[in-house]
Amino acid sequence: MDKTPPTRRDVLSVLGVGLTAGLAGCNRLTDTGSSPDRSAQTGTSSGDADITVSILTESQPAQLPPLWDDHRIEDFQAAFTVETSGAPSQVTVSTGSVEINRESGQWDSDSVTVQPGQMAAGEQEFTANARKNETTVADTATARKPVPGNYKLDVVPERNEALRQTIQTNSDEANYLDDRGGFTEDDPVFSSYSSHEHVGFDKLGVDLVALEWRHDNDYEELSPDPKTDPNIETTQFIQSIGTDTGDPEIQAIKNGEKGVTTYPNGEWNSQTRDGGSFDYETFANAETVGEALDGLHTYLFNWQAIKTDIGPRSDEDFIYAPTLEQAIEQKNNNNLEAHGWDFDLDSHGNGLIYGKNPDGSDELRVMETVANPVTSTPQTIHEQRHPLVEDSNYLNPDHEEFNKYWHPLRFGWDGYSNSQRWNFEEEKRKASVTVRNIASSLHPEDAAGIAARDQNSLGMTTEYLQDFTEKLRTYNQNDADFQELYNQSKILDKLFRDEENNHVIYGGTENPQYAVVEDSSVIEEVWKDEQGRYDDFDQFLRDNPSHSTALDDGNPTLDRDAK
């Protein structure tokens, strides 16, 4: 017999994380409950009244803590006394979807304990049922589960069956989920903090693999007007790669005879125009994402200029990012993996594109969205369209155009963070979009296009966001794991879409932490927090389990310089 004790995840599965995760943050009760209910209760029956049952509340749960330290789970259980007569064959205690019988480890003689994870927040009724033959009797008692208004979230793996069904129904890939790992239980977001498995209310269930769909699902629908201009900018572009379409205009674009810029194998100066050509074989056999982009990026710009009559445009970066990504993944022969996303500098679009290469190496590059970026010269134009992040002139303080556009990855960079045009909060919100868009859907109506200033139910501490932007800004020189950063962005996007609760993300990228807060004014203060007073958010939760007012200027509790 297998005597291995159940793991934390096994227990969560038995309790039903789907229920408890759904309760997180939905109730705000601070009352510790009334005294034990010892009043006599009369059972009701159907059939012959030869059995009785009574249930009395012996003890109410204590106020649950905002974060789990060295607490005893016994202090937060409800306890009942259940007495019967007439030797009933079956006795249960139930509330909602939870039912406890006499064979359970929670039933000891006449005493029944209920774990906080089996209770909804607030007051609820428990029913004791007894049965013998055709006779049933019942009695009721109440207990109250008080939860804090502000509390830390325990992120746990949980399958999102609704989203998985959507993927199964709509994906063009037969094995979309399996090809991405099936289901993930091992990630820093799951191990950075754990409360007791029986707490329940603070669990946030996350399906990291299914949340890939938020980014991948809609590039084919991104043309401005699919009815009159069906997918010219996305699907038709990708389908034209490596194929003789029979369209002479497309062939002219590939040959460099039409377009707005030269290919890497061409030369364009005042005396001669040799546009070069899109070399499909070089692209198809490229062994790095950077090499694949060399010709592909120029081909996309020339395609936009000729086939759409309006491009290339910096405000269509939301189209360019997924198009380049999908073109590489679908048309390169070396199984390159690419992941692109967009964001704004000022009025000028920009993006980043990550690549994982066949030899196991990876890279992160700035993705330009205009054919002639201000950061380049005619001699460096191909180098600056998709340079490694560290080589981009947007992030080169010695470049004359360094301050023309403030790149969000400058946020938190010592000596270079100041945009000289926005205040700290505005810079922070712009940087947060760069982080969130790694995972978000591409459709504005599905939350991708919501402006940073509208992020008023979700805040990120200054310390967390500075760490994240630094990891991206120096990605090719550090040991950060892109998948881990991507997974944190998925949770960020998930919390951003939650319109019922306020959340704060804090800690660092190697130790991400998440919390629910009751008062939206706390979120506003977190965005403005240039001094980092909220960086130690655990301390805020300990000091304010249900306090719903942001820190006063004179409160030194979270001041990093406080002694």
Side-chain angles (χ1 to χ4, degrees):
M1 178 181 293
D2 183 4
K3 295 184 179 296
T4 304
T7 66
R8 173 172 180 265
R9 303 308 173 196
D10 294 331
V11 176
L12 288 171
S13 178
V14 171
L15 287 177
V17 172
L19 171 64
T20 57
L23 297 173
C26 296
N27 296 275
R28 300 286 183 269
L29 294 171
T30 57
D31 193 317
T32 57
S34 58
S35 59
D37 181 0
R38 301 302 303 263
S39 61
Q41 312 219 13
T42 303
T44 60
S45 67
S46 61
D48 297 330
D50 57 350
I51 58 173
T52 65
V53 65
S54 68
I55 180 171
L56 298 174
T57 306
E58 285 292 335
S59 64
Q60 296 276 7
Q63 167 83 38
L64 282 155
L67 68 164
W68 197 265
D69 288 322
D70 297 323
H71 298 90
R72 297 173 63 254
I73 191 63
E74 292 80 8
D75 294 336
F76 309 102
Q77 297 170 341
F80 301 92
T81 296
V82 179
E83 296 179 341
T84 63
S85 67
S89 59
Q90 182 181 16
V91 185
T92 62
V93 172
S94 62
T95 182
S97 61
V98 175
E99 183 176 274
I100 303 168
N101 59 40
R102 287 187 290 190
E103 286 70 45
S104 168
Q106 295 172 239
W107 200 303
D108 183 12
S109 185
D110 294 334
S111 178
V112 179
T113 58
V114 181
Q115 302 290 355
Q118 296 173 310
M119 300 174 65
E123 187 171 88
Q124 58 227 266
E125 187 174 80
F126 288 80
T127 301
N129 290 283
R131 180 183 180 87
K132 182 178 181 180
N133 298 326
E134 299 302 319
T135 300
T136 61
V137 295
D139 192 18
T140 61
T142 61
R144 187 180 187 87
K145 174 184 175 180
V147 301
N150 305 325
Y151 56 89
K152 193 169 185 174
L153 286 170
D154 180 5
V155 182
V156 297
E158 179 189 20
R159 292 178 182 272
N160 185 331
E161 297 299 347
L163 183 55
R164 285 174 171 260
Q165 184 59 51
T166 296
I167 295 170
Q168 183 176 341
T169 302
N170 295 285
S171 177
D172 293 334
E173 301 178 37
N175 301 303
Y176 182 94
L177 293 167
D178 289 341
D179 289 346
R180 288 158 176 79
F183 184 69
T184 298
E185 297 182 273
D186 183 17
D187 191 271
V189 297
F190 298 135
S191 59
S192 61
Y193 167 74
S194 297
S195 68
H196 197 283
E197 56 264 27
H198 291 311
V199 170
F201 82 100
D202 63 347
K203 301 295 184 285
L204 175 68
V206 173
D207 190 337
L208 290 175
V209 174
L211 287 175
E212 300 266 344
W213 185 251
R214 296 292 191 204
H215 177 83
D216 289 345
N217 73 84
D218 50 11
Y219 87 98
E220 294 177 338
E221 304 170 15
L222 289 175
S223 287
D225 188 354
K227 293 182 179 179
T228 60
D229 192 19
N231 298 324
I232 281 180
E233 297 190 75
T234 55
T235 305
Q236 289 187 33
F237 170 78
I238 294 173
Q239 291 174 346
S240 75
I241 298 172
T243 302
D244 184 357
T245 64
D247 185 331
E249 189 172 54
I250 293 177
Q251 195 58 46
I253 297 171
K254 292 180 179 180
N255 290 341
E257 298 166 8
K258 288 188 174 183
V260 294
T261 188
T262 62
Y263 291 92
N265 56 14
E267 182 179 355
W268 195 348
N269 56 45
S270 57
Q271 278 73 42
T272 179
R273 183 192 189 284
D274 174 14
S277 63
F278 174 58
D279 189 333
Y280 168 71
E281 293 299 327
T282 298
F283 161 78
N285 295 306
E287 296 185 353
T288 69
V289 167
E291 292 173 0
L293 284 169
D294 285 344
L296 179 68
H297 209 160
T298 301
Y299 179 38
L300 175 63
F301 284 144
N302 286 335
W303 175 285
Q304 288 286 327
I306 302 304
K307 298 299 290 184
T308 70
D309 296 327
I310 57 173
R313 295 171 47 143
S314 66
D315 59 353
E316 290 194 346
D317 44 327
F318 70 98
I319 294 177
Y320 301 159
T323 303
L324 291 170
E325 170 189 306
Q326 291 297 316
I328 291 172
E329 293 203 337
Q330 293 184 32
K331 296 293 187 173
N332 176 268
N333 295 332
N334 287 320
N335 296 316
L336 295 175
E337 297 178 23
H339 185 100
W341 70 100
D342 67 284
F343 48 84
D344 289 332
L345 303 184
D346 292 308
S347 57
H348 175 47
N350 199 246
L352 294 170
I353 188 163
Y354 167 81
K356 188 171 183 180
N357 307 319
D359 62 0
S361 64
D362 64 353
E363 55 194 62
L364 184 66
R365 295 176 175 272
V366 167
M367 182 199 69
E368 189 55 75
T369 57
V370 294
N372 296 293
V374 298
T375 55
S376 69
T377 65
Q379 292 74 33
T380 64
I381 187 168
H382 296 295
E383 299 172 10
Q384 286 297 310
R385 281 192 184 145
H386 44 263
L388 294 172
V389 174
E390 296 86 346
D391 295 336
S392 172
N393 283 332
Y394 287 118
L395 300 170
N396 178 5
D398 296 328
H399 193 273
E400 60 183 5
E401 301 290 355
F402 179 66
N403 284 318
K404 182 165 185 176
Y405 294 105
W406 183 81
H407 201 283
L409 294 189
R410 286 171 56 176
F411 180 78
W413 188 7
D414 286 346
Y416 303 109
S417 184
N418 190 348
S419 66
Q420 301 179 5
R421 56 176 69 90
W422 299 302
N423 63 34
F424 174 82
E425 179 185 357
E426 291 170 318
E427 293 170 352
K428 186 176 180 181
R429 288 180 180 270
K430 287 178 179 294
S432 74
V433 174
T434 304
V435 171
R436 182 172 63 84
N437 279 7
I438 300 175
S440 68
S441 170
L442 301 167
H443 280 314
E445 63 270 23
D446 198 21
I450 298 177
R453 63 181 177 274
D454 296 326
Q455 294 184 7
N456 292 325
S457 63
L458 172 66
M460 283 176 270
T461 63
T462 300
E463 178 183 44
Y464 178 82
L465 188 55
Q466 286 178 342
D467 184 45
F468 209 123
T469 54
E470 181 181 11
K471 289 292 194 303
L472 295 176
R473 187 174 65 249
T474 63
Y475 185 83
N476 302 292
Q477 299 172 353
N478 63 43
D479 59 357
D481 185 313
F482 181 79
Q483 188 63 47
E484 292 180 0
L485 298 177
Y486 182 18
N487 285 343
Q488 291 178 45
S489 178
K490 294 173 191 175
I491 296 180
L492 193 165
D493 187 58
K494 177 183 175 71
L495 297 181
F496 180 79
R497 295 165 187 264
D498 182 352
E499 298 179 354
E500 297 183 0
N501 304 294
N502 302 310
H503 297 94
V504 172
I505 302 176
Y506 60 107
T509 57
E510 297 176 10
N511 186 36
Q513 312 286 312
Y514 306 88
V516 169
V517 294
E518 188 172 17
D519 193 335
S520 60
S521 69
V522 175
I523 304 298
E524 296 172 6
E525 291 300 315
V526 167
W527 281 116
K528 299 174 182 177
D529 182 24
E530 189 169 1
Q531 289 74 39
R533 294 193 303 156
Y534 284 91
D535 287 348
D536 186 359
F537 207 75
D538 278 354
Q539 190 61 52
F540 172 83
L541 295 174
R542 290 188 181 98
D543 293 345
N544 304 278
S546 294
H547 185 56
S548 59
T549 302
L551 292 175
D552 296 329
D553 290 340
N555 188 337
T557 302
L558 298 184
D559 192 335
R560 290 186 296 185
D561 297 328
K563 306 301 183 185

